[in-house]
Structures are given as structure tokens and as C-alpha cells.
């Protein structure tokens, strides 16, 4: 049987799948991509894995007892019953109607958090939200786990447009190579993060572009606890910090600029407000509230906090003042307690250097955090599936899901408002996995036990699917027609179907259309179109928008026949806030002052103890699970764990794939430790260790590695949550069983899952089996030969 190759796209890039007999047997890179992501190797095993959801299924306890809170939801020994499609849709439509009639649409939480598919039409979040809007709306989430603190803070500091440009219009790596002399990145420039972009890149450009910038003479400095947070060929200087102390380092650099007369006071006077308050704070003249007296935030002070020698900090500050310098604060830094502070301090440092708005200089947040950051921008966006309007004005910050479910009606602070959590009775999740993103998974399990019904659309039996009452099987991107591109991409790619749907899986659009019909709103949801017709319409609408700018692409049939087209009009800005710098009076920022707010009267007026009116250092480090000065706590949990993004997979997707499995140790997630800490803990390379944190414990496989400074261990996120053990919270190594569920601050309420205090110890006895890669009880596995019978 001859093999055929089919183009596809994932969030980790474009590639081709090799198909034999309706089965994916291999992959190969996109021919134009010389730096493709090795994550593609996960696809063949994942596509046909035994954890695929093959048929609609209902949790037996819900089926027998009906809707209602159930603390056993998520029990690894829970039993599911497979049902006919008509039965599943009837049950689900009746439950949606019951909840919205009895409690209002606010009682439905539309929990999709994106990332389910790289496709523009079969995009799980868009499909779910469109459906829920068609039946009257839903409670939604705001912001992201990736950069929630930034999304709230920066509109206050540089205006909504400036914040949008910071995230989506950052200068390209090519412009950095042309103009930047020194790039100082807090949080490193992790290469594997640059493989990821929403929609996937046609060609992985970030890694080669970083190398080209280095060859052009850009000097890179990485401020990080990890020496391998940047590619080796950048020849990056490493400043070894303690985790969570970046704000102290940034304030010390500002101190040097003021102390040695290197701060650009002319820029500060014309383009910012609050520089005097910031200066008084870092020089020790005022405290964080503006009262007389304070602590001088000198390099010597910062050395005691961060471990970075004072002389090294002074030297760096002087070099930054002498050269065209770009200050980059990675997204990871804000995923910690007080996560707003390093962002604000990084912007303040760039302003004190006076280089904001200059080509190659200023401030950035996202280089090394995602592949389309620094990749330019598409002029009119991309084709998309319209979601419609949500008539329900109810939302939560995305990382408050457990708080909402456990505390309906309770008050909380957010961005200057005192809000109350809605009383959610039904959770509807599609295309996301909160049991990857969220903190304190034992608490999240308790939270998922409170709703009356949980519905999940999924391709695989993930932890979120195993917490659902009704599980709907969805097709993967390889099982349907779609198109893909990321913001700033060079090409739009066709994604024709490569293989048949697994088992009885259906496109989500068709599932929602049938549900909408049962609820009397099919016309509102579909507008009389099939998903194929929406695919064509979305493209033609995008084509028309391009034409209005005198940018031209072929019609849909021409695009589909070619398989890909170049996206015209790519935008490459020279500098963030360049137009504001050129004309601050004519192009003021949309802030109360019209300028960059180093001190925000608005934020100060909120009265938040954990986020005052300018960047500050809080005595407690940005590490959850430990209070400053609590010696007993420090002795109990002596190490700091960094829970960063994995290089073996994207989030938790395709964790059973070959590339991901090859990096596991004894079938568990790898825990990296420096030799000294491993010896102190009594563990060796290859051992299975118990990792204990303030919220729970997990098992992980030890990897001894001198790329970490002493006192630091690293365990990436994404291993599928497996609570099937009796003496640990997760037997597979998911670090979010360790982390504490609290927000960055009362302002942003962002995720704080990046850092946590832990203890590592040998695991005595035989480690429990990892069961998460088997279907739940009651679910029959579907192999390739069985699909024909099911689909017949």
C-alpha cells in the first residue's frame, strides 16, 4: 500500500503527515522549513492512541442520579457509559435548557481556553462561544494564563492601543538585528517556546532570526536561574538570579542610572509621569506608599535578595546606558506572586534609559515566549469564524475558575472593581484542558465537583474529560478541512482532511448545529451554512478586506487548489510607541496623562496592598508556598521549583507521542536538579522521586543537570494529571498539584503557577503504575480495523 503525504498545521508549526490505509504512520517537515519543531513526531501515536474519545459517553453516576454536585467527579475509578449520538444530544440539550430556564444563561460557564485546534474555522473556542451565544449567552473568562497580569496592567500604563501593540506588533527580529546593540532578557529566550504560535507558523523563523541577530552583532544577556534558557549559538551572557527576584534586579539597575546620572531625565520629563516618585522610592527617600523613609534599592541590596553580585549589576546598568538597549521581560516572570511588578519595573528601566520609541531600543515582553512575537503582523488579521454577541455581562479572570465554582456570590477584587462570582450550574468546556493550565489541581477537582453538570468536547480522554458528566467525541485537525496561519505569518495554508474521523467522532460544528436544532436556534447558529461554506465565506470576507487596502489574493478555489498563498502587506514596526515618541502632543497615549505612567494615580486609588501606584519590591518573594522570614517553612520546603513550558510537547497535547515519551524518566516527567541538591536529597540520576509542595505531591524522574543553580529544581508542565496513586496527588509528574491557587495581585488576578517551594525525597518502594494513558472504566478501546464498522 503506497503512502501519501498531507499538509497540516498545529500550534507548533506546519508539517506533513504520512498516511497508509487511513492511518497516520509518519511525519516530515514542511519542505520550506529548515528549523521545524521536533514536536511533530508526537502526531502519529497521538492520532490513533487508545485514549481517543471514540463515542459519546456519560458518567454513570450522573446518568443514574441526574444533575447535581458530586464530590466523586474526577475519581480515577469512575465508570462511563457509551451512548448513541441521539441520546447524548437529547440529554445535553435538555440539560442546557433546564439550566438556562431555571437559573439564567449566567449559570452556564463557557470554559474554552483556545489551543484546541490551529484551524481558523474548526477553532474550538470560536465554535463553542458561537453556539452559546446563539442560545442566549454565557459567563465567560477574561485574560490568559500566559500573560494575564500584562493584559490588565499595561492598558493602565501605555493605553489600550499601546498594550495591543506590545503583544501583537512587537518589532521583528530582523529590525532587532538592524538596530539593537544589547538585548537584556529577563527570563531568558527559550527556543522551544518560539516553536509555538496560535495557528502555527508556516516556517519556524524565530530561532534562525535570533542567530542572525547575534551574527549581526547584537549582544544577548539572559537574566535567569537556568543557563540553558537561551540557544547556545547566541553566546549569551548569563546572569544567575534566584527565582522570583527579577524585580529587585530591575530596581537596582534603575538605582544605578539615577545614582550615577545616567538616567535620561529629558525623556522622563517629556514622555512619562511619576519618575520623581520612582526615583524617591529606589533611592530610599520614600517607601512604596510615598511616606518619608524607605530602603535604598541599591545593587548591594539587590545582591542580598537575588544573589547577583553588585558589581555585575553596576556593570550591566552602565552598558545598557551606553548602547542601544532593548529590555525584554518574558511572560514567565508574571506567572508568579506580584507578577505585575517585573513588567512595570522593566518598562520603567527602559524609560530611564530613554530609549522607548527608538528603533532597536525600549521595552518588550514576549521575545522567547512565543513564536509569532517578533514575527511581524498581518495587516487585516486572518480569516475567522464569527462568534456572535454575548448578551450576558458576566465574566471572571481566567485563573479564578476554582474560586468561582467553590464560592458563588463571594466578592473579589479585579482591576479596580469589587465583583462577585456568578453561581455557575453548568460548565461547558471545549478545546482546552484546565488540568494543565491551572494551579492546585486537588482544589480544582473539588471545584469541578460543585456544578450540577460538566460537559466536555474532546479528542482524547484528558484529565478534563475525566471530570465531565457528558463527553462528546471531537475530530482532530487531521480529520476535517480547514486553513491555518498565525499572526504575522508569511503564508495561509490549506489543511485538507488527511484521515477519516476516529470512531464516531464528529466535527464540533455539526454537533452544535444538531444541539441548536433541538433548542430551536439552528438557523441562528448555522445561518443556513455548512462548515465547508463557512470556510469559503471566511476566506472571501478576509480577501475583501485585503482588497480594500489594494492587497490581492486569489479566490477561495484558487487558494484551495494551490494549497497555500503568500499573505501580502506584512507589517514590521520599527519600535514600540515610535509614533508617540515622534509626536507626544499629537499622538498621546490613551492614559489619564497621555504619557507613560511610571506612577499611576488610577492604580494607586484602588488601594491594593499587593499592587501600589508604581513598581515596588515586596519583602515576600514571588514564590508561592513560603512566607518571608518563616524559617520552619523554608526548612520544610527548601527548594524552589520552576514549572516552565515543556520542550517535548505543547502544553499537555499529545503527551503520549513518541517525542514526549522519549523524554520521560521511568515513565514520569523529568525533574531536573543540580548535582549538589540531588546529593542532599538522597536521589540519583534516573531515580523516581517524590516532590512535595504546599498543595500536594507528585512523582517524577530525576535528571541531574548542572544547568541549574543550587536551590533550584525544574519540572515542566504538561504531563497528564494522574491521581490514581494512594500516597501522592499525581503519579505522573504534573507540577500543578504542587502550586498554590492564588492570583498575581488584586489588580490582575493572573496565574501564579510558575514558582513554588518544594521538597524532594526518594520514593520508597515500587512506584504506582501510570494509568492515565488507558481509557476510563467502561470505555471500550477502538482500534483501526474497528473504525469501519463503527462508521458504517
Amino acid at each position: 500500500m503506497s503512502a501519501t503525504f498531507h499538509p497540516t498545521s498545529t500550534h507548533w508549526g506546519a508539517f506533513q503527515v504520512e498516511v497508509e490505509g487511513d492511518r497516520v504512520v509518519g511525519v516530515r517537515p514542511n519542505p520550506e522549513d529548515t528549523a521545524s519543531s521536533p514536536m511533530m513526531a508526537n502526531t502519529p501515536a497521538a492520532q490513533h492512541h487508545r485514549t481517543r474519545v471514540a463515542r459519546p459517553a456519560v458518567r454513570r453516576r450522573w446518568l443514574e442520579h441526574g444533575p447535581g454536585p458530586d464530590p466523586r467527579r474526577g475519581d480515577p475509578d469512575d465508570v462511563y457509559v457509551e451512548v448513541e449520538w441521539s441520546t447524548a444530544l437529547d440529554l445535553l440539550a435538555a440539560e442546557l435548557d433546564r439550566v438556562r430556564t431555571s437559573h439564567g444563561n449566567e449559570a452556564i460557564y463557557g470554559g474554552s481556553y483556545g489551543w484546541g485546534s490551529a484551524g481558523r474555522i474548526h477553532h474550538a473556542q470560536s465554535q463553542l462561544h458561537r453556539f452559546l451565544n446563539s442560545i442566549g449567552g454565557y459567563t465567560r473568562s477574561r485574560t490568559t494564563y500566559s500573560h494575564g497580569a500584562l493584559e490588565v496592567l499595561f492598558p493602565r500604563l501605555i493605553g489600550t492601543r499601546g498594550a495591543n501593540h506590545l503583544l501583537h506588533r512587537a518589532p521583528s527580529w530582523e529590525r532587532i538585528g538592524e538596530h539593537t546593540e544589547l538585548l537584556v532578557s529577563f527570563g531568558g529566550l527559550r527556543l522551544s517556546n518560539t516553536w509555538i504560535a496560535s495557528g502555527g507558523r508556516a516556517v519556524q523563523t524565530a530561532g534562525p532570526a535570533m542567530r542572525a541577530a547575534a551574527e549581526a552583532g547584537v549582544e544577548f544577556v539572559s537574566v535567569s536561574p537556568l543557563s540553558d534558557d537561551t540557544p547556545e549559538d547566541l553566546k549569551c551572557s548569563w546572569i544567575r538570579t534566584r527565582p522570583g527576584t527579577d524585580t529587585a534586579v530591575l530596581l537596582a539597575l534603575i538605582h544605578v542610572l539615577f545614582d550615577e546620572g545616567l538616567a535620561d531625565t529629558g525623556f522622563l520629563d517629556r514622555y512619562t509621569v511619576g519618575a520623581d516618585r520612582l526615583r524617591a522610592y529606589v533611592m530610599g527617600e520614600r517607601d512604596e506608599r510615598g511616606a518619608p523613609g524607605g530602603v535604598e534599592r541599591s545593587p548591594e541590596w539587590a545582591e542580598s535578595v537575588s544573589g547577583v553580585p553588585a558589581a555585575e549589576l553596576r556593570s550591566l546598568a552602565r552598558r545598557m546606558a551606553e548602547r542601544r538597549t532593548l529590555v525584554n521581560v518574558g511572560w514567565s516572570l508574571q506567572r508568579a506572586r506580584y507578577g505585575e511588578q517585573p513588567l512595570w519595573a522593566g518598562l520603567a528601566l527602559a524609560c530611564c534609559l530613554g530609549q522607548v520609541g527608538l528603533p532597536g531600543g525600549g521595552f518588550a515582553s514576549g521575545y522567547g515566549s512565543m513564536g509569532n512575537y517578533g514575527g511581524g503582523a498581518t495587516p487585516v488579521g486572518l480569516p475567522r469564524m464569527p462568534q456572535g454577541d454575548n448578551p450576558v455581562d458576566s465574566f471572571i479572570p481566567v485563573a479564578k475558575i476554582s474560586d468561582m465554582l467553590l464560592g458563588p456570590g463571594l466578592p473579589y477584587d479585579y482591576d479596580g472593581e469589587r465583583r462577585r462570582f456568578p453561581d455557575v450550574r453548568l460548565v461547558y468546556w471545549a478545546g482546552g484542558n484546565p488540568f494543565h493550565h491551572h494551579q492546585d489541581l486537588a482544589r480544582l477537582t473539588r471545584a469541578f465537583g460543585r456544578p450540577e453538570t460538566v460537559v466536555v468536547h474532546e479528542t482524547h480522554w484528558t484529565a478534563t474529560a475525566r471530570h465531565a458528566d457528558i463527553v462528546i467525541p471531537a475530530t482532530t485537525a487531521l480529520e476535517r478541512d480547514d486553513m491555518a496561519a498565525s499572526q504575522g505569518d508569511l503564508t495561509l495554508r490549506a489543511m485538507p482532511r488527511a484521515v477519516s474521523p476516529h470512531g464516531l467522532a464528529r466535527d464540533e460544528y455539526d454537533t452544535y448545529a444538531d444541539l441548536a436544532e433541538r433548542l430551536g436556534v439552528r438557523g441562528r447558529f448555522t445561518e443556513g451554512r455548512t462548515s465547508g461554506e463557512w470556510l469559503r465565506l471566511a476566506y472571501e470576507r478576509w480577501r475583501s478586506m485585503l482588497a480594500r487596502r489594494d492587497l490581492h489574493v486569489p479566490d477561495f478555489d484558487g487558494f484551495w487548489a494551490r494549497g497555500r498563498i503568500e499573505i501580502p502587506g506584512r507589517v514590521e514596526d520599527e519600535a514600540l510607541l515610535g509614533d508617540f515618541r515622534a509626536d507626544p502632543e499629537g499622538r498621546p497615549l490613551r492614559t489619564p496623562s497621555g504619557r507613560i505612567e511610571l506612577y499611576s494615580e488610577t492604580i494607586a486609588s484602588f488601594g491594593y496592598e499587593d499592587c501600589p501606584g508604581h513598581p515596588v519590591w515586596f519583602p515576600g518573594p514571588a514564590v508561592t508556598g513560603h512566607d518571608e522570614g518563616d524559617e520552619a517553612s523554608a526548612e520544610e520546603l527548601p527548594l524552589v521549583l520552576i514549572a516552565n513550558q515543556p520542550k517535548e510537547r505543547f502544553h499537555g497535547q499529545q503527551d503520549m507521542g513518541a517525542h514526549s515519551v522519549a523524554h520521560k524518566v521511568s515513565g514520569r516527567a523529568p525533574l531536573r536538579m543540580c548535582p549538589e541538591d540531588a546529593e542532599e536529597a538522597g536521589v540519583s540520576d534516573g531515580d523516581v522521586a517524590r516532590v512535595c509542595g504546599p498543595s500536594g505531591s507528585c512523582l517524577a524522574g530525576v535528571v541531574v543537570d548542572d544547568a541549574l543553580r543550587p536551590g533550584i529544581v525544574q519540572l515542566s508542565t504538561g504531563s497528564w494529571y494522574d491521581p490514581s496513586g494512594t500516597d501522592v496527588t499525581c503519579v505522573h509528574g504534573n507540577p500543578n498539584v504542587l502550586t498554590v491557587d492564588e492570583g498575581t495581585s488584586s489588580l490582575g488576578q493572573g496565574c501564579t503557577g510558575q514558582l513554588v517551594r518544594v521538597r524532594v525525597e526518594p520514593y520508597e518502594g515500587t512506584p504506582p503504575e501510570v494509568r492515565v494513558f488507558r481509557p476510563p472504566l467502561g470505555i471500550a478501546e477502538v482500534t483501526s480495523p474497528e473504525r469501519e464498522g463503527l462508521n458504517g
Side-chain angles (χ1 to χ4, degrees):
M1 184 179 297
S2 60
T4 56
F5 287 90
H6 303 259
T8 191
S9 188
T10 61
H11 296 301
W12 51 95
F15 57 96
Q16 297 177 355
V17 293
E18 181 182 5
V19 176
E20 287 184 4
D22 207 29
R23 189 175 183 87
V24 177
V25 297
V27 293
R28 69 183 184 186
N30 178 7
E32 290 81 25
D33 192 354
T34 60
S36 58
S37 167
M39 292 181 188
M40 74 176 77
N42 287 326
T43 299
Q47 177 64 24
H48 306 291
H49 196 263
R50 60 182 179 171
T51 56
R52 281 296 304 270
V53 182
R55 308 174 185 85
V58 183
R59 198 167 65 91
R60 176 177 290 175
R61 287 176 57 81
W62 188 92
L63 195 61
E64 293 176 348
H65 302 293
D70 188 346
R72 287 188 55 185
R73 197 176 277 133
D75 188 322
D77 293 320
D78 233 340
V79 178
Y80 283 82
V81 178
E82 293 180 322
V83 298
E84 298 294 330
W85 264 107
S86 58
T87 301
L89 294 175
D90 288 346
L91 287 170
L92 179 48
E95 180 61 0
L96 285 165
D97 198 44
R98 180 189 73 83
V99 171
R100 67 175 181 169
T101 301
S102 300
H103 307 287
N105 281 69
E106 181 181 290
I108 300 172
Y109 180 66
S112 177
Y113 179 63
W115 294 122
S117 166
R120 302 300 306 167
I121 298 302
H122 295 285
H123 178 249
Q125 185 182 74
S126 299
Q127 295 278 0
L128 174 61
H129 291 176
R130 179 179 178 83
F131 167 70
L132 293 177
N133 285 336
S134 74
I135 67 168
Y138 62 101
T139 290
R140 65 196 187 280
S141 64
R142 279 190 182 177
T143 70
T144 64
Y145 281 92
S146 296
H147 43 64
L150 184 154
E151 293 173 72
V152 176
L153 175 66
F154 268 76
R156 302 288 188 186
L157 306 185
I158 60 175
T160 302
R161 180 173 180 270
N164 182 66
H165 279 207
L166 175 65
L167 282 173
H168 305 297
R169 292 277 293 269
S172 69
W173 281 108
E174 289 80 3
R175 302 290 81 78
I176 290 173
E178 291 174 11
H179 302 294
T180 303
E181 295 176 286
L182 177 63
L183 194 159
V184 182
S185 185
F186 291 81
L189 294 165
R190 193 170 176 85
L191 180 62
S192 57
N193 289 347
T194 70
W195 297 332
I196 307 303
S198 181
R201 304 285 289 182
V203 175
Q204 297 289 357
T205 56
M210 281 192 282
R211 288 188 285 272
E215 291 169 0
V218 178
E219 179 187 352
F220 290 86
V221 175
S222 173
V223 185
S224 171
L226 308 174
S227 69
D228 58 354
D229 247 5
T230 56
E232 288 186 13
D233 45 11
L234 295 188
K235 298 178 180 177
C236 190
S237 301
W238 180 32
I239 294 182
R240 304 199 312 171
T241 55
R242 295 177 183 136
T245 63
D246 301 87
T247 301
V249 170
L250 286 158
L251 292 173
L253 296 172
I254 295 171
H255 180 280
V256 174
L257 299 181
F258 281 126
D259 187 52
E260 299 187 5
L262 301 174
D264 189 333
T265 55
F267 178 90
L268 293 173
D269 290 343
R270 186 176 186 190
Y271 296 99
T272 76
V273 294
D276 55 335
R277 294 288 298 264
L278 177 67
R279 182 190 182 283
Y281 173 73
V282 298
M283 300 308 293
E285 299 166 5
R286 300 274 177 176
D287 65 14
E288 62 272 11
R289 299 295 169 185
V295 176
E296 192 171 0
R297 309 299 173 178
S298 66
E300 288 74 19
W301 164 81
E303 179 177 353
S304 68
V305 173
S306 68
V308 181
E312 193 171 0
L313 293 175
R314 280 199 172 83
S315 174
L316 177 60
R318 292 163 184 163
R319 285 160 54 211
M320 295 174 80
E322 292 168 356
R323 309 178 69 183
R324 182 60 59 86
T325 299
L326 179 61
V327 179
N328 180 60
V329 176
W331 292 350
S332 61
L333 267 61
Q334 67 189 288
R335 294 196 294 269
R337 191 76 175 107
Y338 316 122
E340 293 81 6
Q341 302 310 311
L343 291 167
W344 205 343
L347 176 65
L349 173 61
C351 288
C352 290
L353 292 169
Q355 298 187 27
V356 173
L358 294 179
F363 177 77
S365 181
Y367 293 111
S369 298
M370 198 166 171
N372 58 353
Y373 197 93
T378 45
V380 294
L382 294 166
R384 65 184 183 89
M385 181 73 176
Q387 297 185 18
D389 297 321
N390 186 356
V392 174
D393 186 22
S394 175
F395 71 88
I396 60 164
V398 69
K400 303 299 284 183
I401 174 70
S402 291
D403 296 80
M404 175 188 73
L405 295 177
L406 292 170
L410 293 181
Y412 69 98
D413 292 303
Y414 174 69
D415 195 21
E417 294 184 335
R418 187 70 167 170
R419 302 185 59 84
R420 290 186 180 275
F421 290 116
D423 187 2
V424 166
R425 304 301 181 97
L426 186 148
V427 172
Y428 204 139
W429 216 288
N433 185 2
F435 285 86
H436 160 75
H437 292 293
H438 202 68
Q439 306 123 256
D440 191 350
L441 298 187
R443 183 171 188 256
L444 183 61
T445 289
R446 293 195 299 274
F448 264 65
R450 188 198 163 273
E452 295 169 357
T453 300
V454 176
V455 184
V456 170
H457 289 209
E458 254 301 354
T459 59
H460 292 77
W461 281 100
T462 64
T464 303
R466 294 167 194 257
H467 284 75
D469 300 305
I470 302 175
V471 181
I472 301 296
T475 53
T476 70
L478 296 177
E479 298 165 352
R480 58 202 182 207
D481 290 339
D482 213 328
M483 54 187 164
S486 68
Q487 179 64 235
D489 214 339
L490 302 177
T491 63
L492 178 72
R493 289 94 63 197
M495 298 168 59
R497 191 174 88 163
V499 293
S500 300
H502 179 85
L504 297 182
R506 302 176 69 199
D507 294 351
E508 288 172 283
Y509 181 85
D510 296 329
T511 298
Y512 292 131
D514 286 350
L515 279 173
E517 182 169 357
R518 283 166 166 79
L519 293 167
V521 293
R522 185 184 185 97
R524 191 182 305 167
F525 175 74
T526 68
E527 297 183 24
R529 300 184 179 94
T530 66
S531 59
E533 290 168 335
W534 274 111
L535 181 67
R536 179 183 294 269
L537 179 63
Y539 178 90
E540 292 296 349
R541 285 176 173 173
W542 175 70
R543 177 172 172 246
S544 296
M545 289 190 293
L546 287 172
R548 287 196 288 270
R549 297 196 177 198
D550 202 26
L551 300 170
H552 301 286
V553 295
D555 64 14
F556 179 81
D557 290 330
F559 156 65
W560 199 256
R562 295 184 192 183
R564 54 185 288 152
I565 58 167
E566 299 301 311
I567 299 177
R570 181 167 174 256
V571 178
E572 291 189 78
D573 291 349
E574 290 283 334
L576 175 69
L577 303 184
D579 54 350
F580 166 66
R581 184 179 183 119
D583 185 9
E585 286 77 29
R587 301 295 299 273
L589 302 180
R590 295 172 186 172
T591 61
S593 65
R595 294 185 279 174
I596 300 170
E597 305 226 333
L598 301 184
Y599 178 83
S600 168
E601 291 279 3
T602 301
I603 294 176
S605 71
F606 298 155
Y608 296 148
E609 291 295 325
D610 52 5
C611 191
H614 61 77
V616 302
W617 168 256
F618 287 96
V623 182
T624 57
H626 169 62
D627 295 325
E628 182 73 6
D630 185 348
E631 295 182 4
S633 174
E635 184 176 343
E636 176 69 17
L637 303 173
L639 303 171
V640 175
L641 184 142
I642 299 174
N644 57 1
Q645 294 302 315
K647 61 183 179 181
E648 302 87 10
R649 62 194 165 268
F650 171 53
H651 292 333
Q653 292 184 31
Q654 301 187 347
D655 189 25
M656 74 297 288
H659 185 63
S660 180
V661 170
H663 287 80
K664 295 184 186 294
V665 179
S666 297
R668 331 245 168 196
L671 173 77
R672 293 203 302 165
M673 309 179 69
C674 73
E676 302 96 307
D677 289 335
E679 182 178 4
E680 176 70 20
V683 296
S684 302
D685 200 78
D687 286 353
V688 173
R690 186 201 309 265
V691 187
C692 303
S695 300
S697 62
C698 68
L699 300 185
V702 175
V703 176
V704 178
D705 191 338
D706 59 8
L708 293 79
R709 61 171 291 157
I712 309 302
V713 295
Q714 181 255 316
L715 179 64
S716 292
T717 63
S719 286
W720 278 20
Y721 173 49
D722 188 341
S724 58
T726 58
D727 58 347
V728 288
T729 317
C730 176
V731 305
H732 192 208
N734 188 317
N736 274 325
V737 302
L738 312 169
T739 52
V740 177
D741 192 2
E742 60 183 4
T744 52
S745 77
S746 303
L747 180 77
Q749 295 290 4
C751 163
T752 60
Q754 181 79 9
L755 304 174
V756 64
R757 304 285 309 196
V758 299
R759 179 180 74 258
V760 176
E761 61 193 25
Y763 185 79
E764 304 295 341
T766 302
E769 179 187 5
V770 174
R771 294 169 49 189
V772 72
F773 294 128
R774 301 201 307 251
L777 297 176
I779 299 300
E781 297 181 24
V782 175
T783 61
S784 185
E786 291 175 313
R787 286 206 308 274
E788 183 177 350
L790 280 172
N791 292 327

